[in-house]
Amino acid sequence: MRNDGTSTLKSSQISVANLESKFKVSMDLYAVNMSHEDNICVDYQTSTTQGEKCWKAMHDFTLSQWETKTFEFDAEDAESLRLRLRVDASSEKSGDILISRVNIEGWSA
């Protein structure tokens, strides 16, 4: 994914079993050409809630190294899920990332 000020990577709608109320998202990423002000964020939206998880470059992850980032969120009675990966970069010349895997797990709490 290359950031041009508007670049995002979006999932299609994912159906969710009614018994799942907690979700875990993990992804393997490799970031280059980022500054201290840049963030990698995952926005999530279900039929009942929405939110985001962001990681700050050079603070929450190392550049030029594969890393796995993981977060969890609650979503009671969700019927669907969508994810969006975005880069909040300080300039058009920063914010290049590679994604090799995205995994989504759901379970009842």
Side-chain angles (χ1 to χ4, degrees), residues 1-80:
M1 180 171 142
R2 183 169 180 82
N3 183 40
D4 62 4
T6 59
S7 292
T8 59
L9 180 63
K10 298 178 185 180
S11 75
S12 58
Q13 184 168 307
I14 302 164
S15 295
V16 174
N18 289 340
L19 300 176
E20 296 170 334
S21 59
K22 291 191 71 71
F23 295 89
K24 180 166 91 171
V25 178
S26 60
M27 65 179 178
D28 294 339
L29 63 89
Y30 186 93
V32 294
N33 195 29
M34 297 184 84
S35 71
H36 287 281
E37 297 86 27
D38 298 341
N39 295 308
I40 295 173
C41 298
V42 177
D43 301 322
Y44 61 88
Q45 180 180 11
T46 73
S47 51
T48 60
T49 190
Q50 64 183 16
E52 72 175 5
K53 173 63 180 173
C54 294
W55 296 277
K56 191 169 230 14
M58 294 188 239
H59 299 277
D60 298 323
F61 60 90
T62 306
L63 298 183
S64 301
Q65 177 178 315
W66 282 103
E67 291 205 24
T68 300
K69 301 314 278 179
T70 302
F71 72 99
E72 296 181 9
F73 63 93
D74 296 328
E76 291 287 329
D77 301 320
E79 296 176 0
S80 62

